[in-house]
Amino acid sequence: MEKLRTVVESDFEMILKLNEMEVQQTSPMDLDRLRSLVRISAYCKVVTVQKQVAAFLIALREGAPYENDNYGWFARRFPNFLYVDRVLVDSQFAGRSIGSKMYSNLFAFARAERIGTITCEYNIDPPNPASRRFHDKFGFKEFGTQWVASGTKQVSLQTAET
């Protein structure tokens, strides 16, 4: 049985493991960075399957004390937004719509908080077609692009209305 709930510290080890497995699509994260992100997040949830962390999502509101090129790009353009810093689903749980359930809950949260725009980015060089397809389903549109990670990745900066 799947359960969506708020992240607790006992989830950190699995969150770090999932992030490491997909680090080429996200970015490195150690325990200190995870603790910081959880502390400043507006939305920080996991989905568990039989008490095992199967997925996580971390999102931040505008005005968060977060040093990040992509978050900063959106902060310069939007006075009110919710930024998806990372969302990952363990590959062993692929095809169960867990990511979609998390995003549906995220959009409901944003509407309840009167946040009109959800923002995120995904890699376009090197390409991440799975993320593109996933975000297209939720109405995300490209608002811009930029090179990050010392010019090793180009991202599509995406927005969706709630």
Side-chain angles (χ1 to χ4, degrees):
M1 175 163 197
E2 297 170 7
K3 180 180 178 183
L4 176 70
R5 62 167 173 74
T6 301
V7 168
V8 294
E9 191 160 346
S10 60
D11 300 325
F12 288 4
E13 182 178 346
M14 189 61 189
I15 289 171
L16 290 170
K17 180 180 174 187
L18 288 173
N19 193 82
E20 184 60 31
M21 290 168 41
E22 294 293 332
V23 73
Q24 74 280 3
Q25 302 299 344
T26 61
S27 61
M29 180 170 61
D30 62 14
L31 184 58
D32 288 341
R33 183 160 181 85
L34 175 57
R35 282 191 173 122
S36 175
L37 283 171
V38 170
R39 187 176 57 256
I40 65 174
S41 68
Y43 182 99
C44 191
K45 303 277 186 175
V46 294
V47 170
T48 59
V49 176
Q50 297 176 350
K51 299 186 180 182
Q52 178 184 345
V53 174
F56 74 94
L57 192 157
I58 301 172
L60 299 92
R61 292 266 333 235
E62 76 283 341
Y66 187 38
E67 296 293 323
N68 174 280
D69 292 339
N70 298 316
Y71 177 84
W73 191 94
F74 289 114
R76 291 187 295 277
R77 289 162 177 83
F78 294 91
N80 176 260
F81 67 96
L82 185 61
Y83 171 72
V84 177
D85 184 69
R86 57 193 81 210
V87 55
L88 290 169
V89 177
D90 189 326
S91 61
Q92 71 177 317
F93 298 104
R96 295 176 66 164
S97 299
I98 290 173
S100 293
K101 290 172 188 170
M102 292 186 87
Y103 259 43
S104 293
N105 185 264
L106 177 73
F107 274 73
F109 169 82
R111 286 189 298 274
E113 295 293 315
R114 299 179 191 248
I115 304 167
T117 305
I118 297 179
T119 65
C120 70
E121 81 283 335
Y122 55 75
N123 294 348
I124 52 177
D125 186 8
N128 186 343
S131 189
R132 177 186 299 268
R133 285 189 303 274
F134 176 76
H135 287 91
D136 285 352
K137 287 190 314 187
F138 284 89
F140 281 88
K141 304 288 183 212
E142 187 172 271
F143 201 80
T145 64
Q146 72 177 352
W147 287 93
V148 295
S150 301
T152 61
K153 293 196 282 190
Q154 185 180 28
V155 295
S156 175
L157 298 144
Q158 299 275 312
T159 63
E161 299 307 310
T162 62

